[in-house]
Amino acid sequence: MIKKIQSIYQTSIEKTEVMSGLAPLLLRLIIAPVMIIAGYNKLNLSKEGVGFFESLLADENVVAWFGNADWGLGLPFPDLLAFLAGWTEFLGGWLILLGLLTRLVSVPLMVTMFVAATQVHWHNGWFSVAPANPDTSAAQVFAWMGSDTAQKSLENSLEVAERLERIKSIVSTHGFPEYLYEKGNIVILNNGIEFAAIYFAMLLSLFFTGGGRFFSLDYWFARKASNDS
């Protein structure tokens, strides 16, 4: 009986294998535009009135942020690093979108996400947007396990809720709440590592799976190479 169940299970898994490319496709569609626009905004590509070669360089404001130790990252060789980061994200994002050299390009993109998480967002904790309700915060799960850090996060959520209520009260009294809330509710930006960590995990998955069956150029090039050999 157990062997029969195992056989049915294995057969079912094998039949779904034909659609195994869907998951990598969805990951690529989510992360590629993020990388493309992040790289685009680090470069002079969008600037008008600059020469061709200058347009390929990193934006001077980004270079300053990379190099300044007081209000920026304080990294050495900021011109070079900003240039490399911009083109890694911009060009790498397009390759991810097409599913071309997926495994290869995932590596430098993971490096950029690691640097972003550790150098830019680390001191802000995990959440990108500060939770205002401790009962619905993901930190609650770790608090159940006895994590002191998670418990502090839940206490922080109470403080966030208090500040949001004060903001809403001020807006209600002195502002234009219908206009200000028309496009969505207000939040407190925490700017933690959440998004960088999620993107890193997505890229790590693509490193192991590749671009996926049917929906990537990698698949079709590999298939053609196999047929030609």
Side-chain angles (χ1 to χ4, degrees), residues 23 42 51 53-54 57 62 65-66 96 98 110 127 138 141 150 166 177 194 203 211-212 214 227:
K42 286 184 177 69
F53 290 105
E54 186 180 353
L57 300 177
V62 176
W65 180 63
F66 267 55
I96 289 289
L98 296 171
M110 279 191 285
F127 292 107
V141 177
R166 291 191 179 188
E194 183 176 10
L203 289 164
F214 303 129
N227 292 334

Side-chain angles (χ1 to χ4, degrees), residues 9 28 88 121 131 168 210 218:
Y9 174 77
R28 286 165 37 219
T88 295
H121 305 287
K168 290 179 180 179
D218 286 337

Side-chain angles (χ1 to χ4, degrees), residues 108-120 122 196-197 200 203:
L109 288 175
M110 279 191 285
V111 172
T112 64
M113 291 300 98
F114 179 80
V115 172
T118 56
Q119 299 298 317
V120 182
W122 188 266
F200 181 92
L203 289 164

Side-chain angles (χ1 to χ4, degrees), residues 21-40:
L22 279 178
L25 173 64
L26 293 176
L27 291 179
R28 286 165 37 219
L29 290 176
I30 292 170
I31 198 170
V34 175
M35 296 295 107
I36 291 170
I37 200 64
Y40 181 76

Side-chain angles (χ1 to χ4, degrees), residues 68-211:
N68 194 290
D70 295 328
W71 48 265
L73 301 180
L75 298 174
F77 313 112
D79 296 84
L80 176 61
L81 292 180
F83 174 83
L84 292 175
W87 278 105
T88 295
E89 292 173 341
F90 184 69
L91 182 58
W94 284 111
L95 291 174
I96 289 289
L97 186 63
L98 296 171
L100 179 62
L101 304 176
T102 306
R103 285 187 171 92
L104 180 63
V105 77
S106 292
V107 175
L109 288 175
M110 279 191 285
V111 172
T112 64
M113 291 300 98
F114 179 80
V115 172
T118 56
Q119 299 298 317
V120 182
H121 305 287
W122 188 266
H123 64 283
N124 295 322
W126 171 260
F127 292 107
S128 291
V129 175
N133 185 349
D135 293 334
T136 59
S137 172
Q140 183 69 72
V141 177
F142 296 99
W144 289 337
M145 299 178 184
S147 170
D148 292 336
T149 302
Q151 187 59 45
K152 290 180 181 178
S153 177
L154 297 180
E155 294 169 1
N156 183 67
S157 291
L158 295 175
E159 296 183 12
V160 168
E162 178 185 346
R163 284 160 174 76
L164 283 174
E165 285 303 315
R166 291 191 179 188
I167 293 172
K168 290 179 180 179
S169 176
I170 294 171
V171 170
S172 177
T173 305
H174 304 287
F176 303 91
E178 292 183 1
Y179 168 75
L180 293 175
Y181 299 150
E182 182 182 7
K183 300 300 183 180
N185 210 343
I186 58 173
V187 298
I188 291 182
L189 182 66
N190 193 58
N191 204 26
I193 70 170
E194 183 176 10
F195 288 154
I198 290 173
Y199 296 148
F200 181 92
M202 294 168 69
L203 289 164
L204 183 63
S205 177
L206 289 174
F207 173 76
F208 287 111
T209 66

